[in-house]
Amino acid sequence: MPPKKTALISQGVATRHRTRNAPTEQPVVASPPKKRKQYASSTDDSDIEVDIGEESQAAASSLLQEQQQQPDDNFDEQQSGPAPCPAGPAEFTDSLHSFAAVTAYLRSRLFDTFSTAAASMEMRPKLQEVYSKLLHLLSNTAETTGANHSFLLLGARGTGKTLVMHRVLAQLEAKYNLQEGRPTVGIVRLSGLAHTEDVVAFREIARQLCKTFNCKYSKAASLAENLTFLREMLRELGRGHKVVVFVLDDFDLFAKKAKQTTLYNLLDAMQSADMQAAVVGLSCRHDVMELLEKRVRSRFSHRKQLIPEMEEKDSDSAADSPRGVLAAMLTVPDSTGNGKSHGPVQQWNAAIAQILNADLVMQQLKLMMNQGHGRPRDLADVATEVMLAMDSQPGAPQQQAVLAGIASVTQLQHQQADMVGSCSVLELFMLVSIYRIKRRGHDSANFEMVHDEYRKLLEHGGSGDRRSKAAALRAFERLIALSLVSYVDNRAEEKGGLREFHAARVNLVLQEIEAGLKIQKSCPSLLKNALSNEAVRNTFAHG
């Protein structure tokens, strides 16, 4: 057999990403035949051999040779055996022998998303359905060669998209990553707020892949080298029946790029049958598919799932109502399993159930929901306020603490409404204009876009009271000074220059603006009509 070619360290991807035990200044040569490194797959026990004559294959092939030093004879048993679940609630709460321990446990649940306490919280039924569907899809990718999937998880902010995604990933890792240091499923997380630039995105992908699968990472790799490394790594991982799940938070921000290079290359790599990978996008926009280029859309599987917001009619289903979600956040799993014990856990749970069933609390929760604060995120804020109140009132929870938590969430709306009501008419026009742009699907807008919307409002309403563009710019900057509107780039004010071209976003919800317009006595009817126009109201809100 002719000797394999040598890939010099100074060339190609091998110079950028290689296993930690690889030499740093010597050429990577074929391994001597004194001891072959084997990997037993579920379908065949043959060795995985990679010709490193191609520079781009060096890193990925050496990865599996380095990791799989011992045969994995029980791979079939791992795949077909029962899936291990995270530790049960009894293991979490056996040591909770005081109210202080109970409150510490609940604080861990609310403040640490990755804690075991957070994993023990029950999801509302509608989230559970989404969880089961997504888990089945990604499990199919992990267990079936060539079953690559792409999936969109849609829903308004604060409805539970991140919670569902985190639970699914935790279950996948618990089910398939049974040996420490030898993962079968790798997770790569990207955020549209930080990784929309192609160079940054693929550098981050390479970094996370190297960290997960024990490779040495170098920041000096170029975009082309990282692209080649990604494809070769996925190909080699696929040969070893290893899976990579790419999670893209704020997926719509990736789709807004002029050239959607990141999305295209991820989805295009998944078209190969010898790779095992999945892409899951999380977005607030229902129309995100329409933003995709034709070449990207043709490679997407068009699977998507909408997470509905809680509505007033959900009160018919206790678990899906605001009361049921708040109860899940504040209830501790009962380690006895029967609830007949009278320890701190049982006393706490009984007190929470009694408080949330009280008529006054139910009325306040309904009022809070009608004011636009019925999202799970808002209920989490209420639960957090309850935990903070326990510092001054240790012991069993009191109804007053829950009512104070609800009031603290709704009070912020009143404060924002007062600030809106103190604005001038021109400032209100700027505020309503940028909000109308947001309701049409744009998360941000610069002053030029806002002024154009302001001009259209006046033309549509037949009003001749139009101010100069300079006055409108001063009104817009006044909104930024009040934090009712903020620049997307926090350094925009420091950069100076043409501020009217810096992207900005509105920091208010519809109910807060409507309440503020009612407070402003000089507010023209044109503004109220423009805000409540059905054509705008029916557009999907991103806030």
Side-chain angles (χ1 to χ4, degrees):
M1 179 178 179
K4 296 181 180 180
K5 300 178 182 179
T6 300
L8 296 179
I9 289 299
S10 61
Q11 299 176 355
V13 178
T15 70
R16 306 306 186 189
H17 308 294
R18 53 188 181 273
T19 55
R20 291 192 175 95
N21 294 331
T24 57
E25 297 182 355
Q26 299 296 326
V28 178
V29 297
S31 300
K34 55 185 179 182
K35 183 178 180 181
R36 299 185 70 92
K37 300 176 182 179
Q38 299 184 6
Y39 177 78
S41 70
S42 59
T43 57
D44 134 75
D45 293 334
S46 60
D47 297 343
I48 294 180
E49 297 184 3
V50 180
D51 185 358
I52 58 174
E54 295 294 335
E55 301 169 358
S56 59
Q57 294 181 349
S61 59
S62 61
L63 163 68
L64 286 179
Q65 291 177 355
E66 180 65 27
Q67 278 199 311
Q68 311 302 339
Q69 294 186 5
Q70 298 178 355
D72 192 5
D73 295 328
N74 62 343
F75 186 85
D76 291 330
E77 297 177 5
Q78 295 174 9
Q79 292 285 55
S80 59
C85 296
E91 299 181 27
F92 298 153
T93 58
D94 281 342
S95 60
L96 302 183
H97 301 304
S98 66
F99 285 116
V102 171
T103 55
Y105 175 85
L106 291 176
R107 283 193 181 94
S108 176
R109 168 185 290 176
L110 294 171
F111 300 150
D112 185 1
T113 310
F114 301 97
S115 65
T116 53
S120 69
M121 187 185 76
E122 294 184 5
M123 292 188 294
R124 59 190 178 106
K126 290 183 179 178
L127 287 185
Q128 187 66 41
E129 294 174 5
V130 179
Y131 164 84
S132 301
K133 182 176 180 178
L134 185 55
L135 178 61
H136 173 75
L137 190 71
L138 296 182
S139 297
N140 178 255
T141 298
E143 298 171 1
T144 308
T145 302
N148 302 331
H149 297 293
S150 49
F151 190 87
L152 275 179
L153 200 55
L154 306 176
R157 298 190 186 278
T159 53
K161 300 186 298 297
T162 303
L163 173 64
V164 171
M165 193 71 247
H166 172 66
R167 292 286 181 91
V168 170
L169 296 178
Q171 180 63 16
L172 285 175
E173 292 180 324
K175 182 178 181 180
Y176 297 106
N177 296 348
L178 301 181
Q179 299 187 27
E180 185 177 357
R182 298 179 62 187
T184 299
V185 176
I187 311 298
V188 174
R189 295 178 173 88
L190 298 178
S191 171
L193 297 174
H195 306 122
T196 49
E197 294 298 327
D198 301 326
V199 175
V200 177
F202 285 103
R203 182 185 298 143
E204 180 64 15
I205 290 173
R207 186 192 69 80
Q208 294 189 36
L209 285 176
C210 290
K211 180 179 179 181
T212 302
F213 295 104
N214 196 28
C215 291
K216 187 175 181 180
Y217 165 73
S218 173
K219 295 181 180 180
S222 66
L223 174 60
E225 289 170 328
N226 283 330
L227 276 171
T228 305
F229 173 76
L230 170 64
R231 290 178 177 272
E232 295 302 328
M233 175 68 85
L234 290 179
R235 183 173 291 110
E236 292 303 322
L237 291 176
R239 293 175 183 174
H241 298 280
K242 293 180 180 288
V243 186
V244 180
V245 179
F246 297 92
V247 181
L248 277 61
D249 204 1
D250 288 305
F251 183 85
D252 51 290
L253 298 183
F254 289 98
K256 286 183 177 180
K257 292 284 293 179
K259 292 184 178 180
Q260 300 167 3
T261 306
T262 302
L263 297 180
Y264 172 75
N265 281 279
L266 284 179
L267 296 173
D268 186 63
M270 292 168 50
Q271 304 306 306
S272 176
D274 59 353
M275 300 181 185
Q276 286 183 257
V279 173
V280 181
L282 282 65
S283 177
C284 301
R285 296 191 57 168
H286 288 188
D287 61 344
V288 66
M289 287 296 297
E290 300 176 8
L291 302 177
L292 299 179
E293 297 176 353
K294 184 177 180 180
R295 60 172 184 163
V296 177
R297 193 182 304 117
S298 64
R299 288 165 172 76
F300 198 85
S301 61
H302 293 267
R303 292 185 179 92
K304 59 183 179 180
Q305 178 66 49
L306 174 65
I307 297 182
E309 298 186 57
M310 290 187 297
E311 300 178 1
E312 190 174 351
K313 62 181 181 181
D314 287 337
S315 58
D316 299 335
S317 174
D320 263 327
S321 65
R323 180 171 56 89
V325 173
L326 186 58
M329 293 177 179
L330 293 175
T331 299
V332 181
D334 187 357
S335 59
T336 64
N338 52 31
K340 295 182 180 180
S341 176
H342 297 286
V345 171
Q346 293 74 28
Q347 295 179 36
W348 176 279
N349 290 344
I352 289 295
Q354 181 179 3
I355 291 171
L356 296 182
N357 287 325
D359 292 338
L360 180 58
V361 173
M362 294 178 66
Q363 291 175 3
Q364 291 300 314
L365 284 174
K366 185 176 181 179
L367 178 61
M368 173 180 163
M369 191 169 190
N370 292 337
Q371 292 178 347
H373 293 278
R375 302 172 301 173
R377 178 183 295 176
D378 299 321
L379 297 171
D381 291 339
V382 174
T384 301
E385 291 294 333
V386 173
M387 290 297 99
L388 295 177
M390 299 306 299
D391 292 336
S392 58
Q393 298 178 350
Q398 303 294 325
Q399 178 175 312
Q400 187 59 35
V402 177
L403 293 175
I406 298 174
S408 67
V409 173
T410 56
Q411 181 64 28
L412 178 61
Q413 176 182 354
H414 296 313
Q415 294 175 357
Q416 297 283 53
D418 290 340
M419 293 180 67
V420 173
S422 66
C423 293
S424 66
V425 174
L426 183 56
E427 291 167 358
L428 292 179
F429 266 107
M430 294 293 103
L431 183 62
V432 170
S433 297
I434 191 173
Y435 190 81
R436 282 169 60 90
I437 294 174
K438 176 184 178 182
R439 295 299 292 267
R440 288 203 296 269
H442 301 277
D443 287 337
S444 61
N446 58 34
F447 169 74
E448 293 292 334
M449 298 169 61
V450 175
H451 185 266
D452 187 58
E453 182 70 18
Y454 163 64
R455 180 178 54 80
K456 292 178 181 178
L457 268 177
L458 295 180
E459 292 176 355
H460 179 74
S463 174
D465 186 16
R466 180 183 303 177
R467 303 294 181 88
S468 66
K469 192 172 183 179
L473 178 58
R474 288 195 296 271
F476 187 74
E477 292 177 342
R478 168 68 174 166
L479 295 177
I480 293 175
L482 293 174
S483 296
L484 301 178
V485 175
S486 61
Y487 286 120
V488 174
D489 185 354
N490 294 330
R491 298 172 298 173
E493 296 187 23
E494 299 175 3
K495 293 179 179 179
L498 300 177
R499 293 187 180 181
E500 57 267 32
F501 295 102
H502 288 306
R505 64 165 64 96
V506 62
N507 299 326
L508 302 171
V509 297
L510 177 63
Q511 291 78 7
E512 292 169 341
I513 299 178
E514 287 180 333
L517 295 182
K518 293 178 181 179
I519 295 175
Q520 170 58 272
K521 297 180 180 179
S522 303
C523 178
S525 58
L526 172 62
L527 267 181
K528 298 178 181 178
N529 295 336
L531 191 63
S532 61
N533 186 281
E534 288 301 320
V536 176
R537 183 184 293 275
N538 291 335
T539 306
F540 177 68
H542 304 283

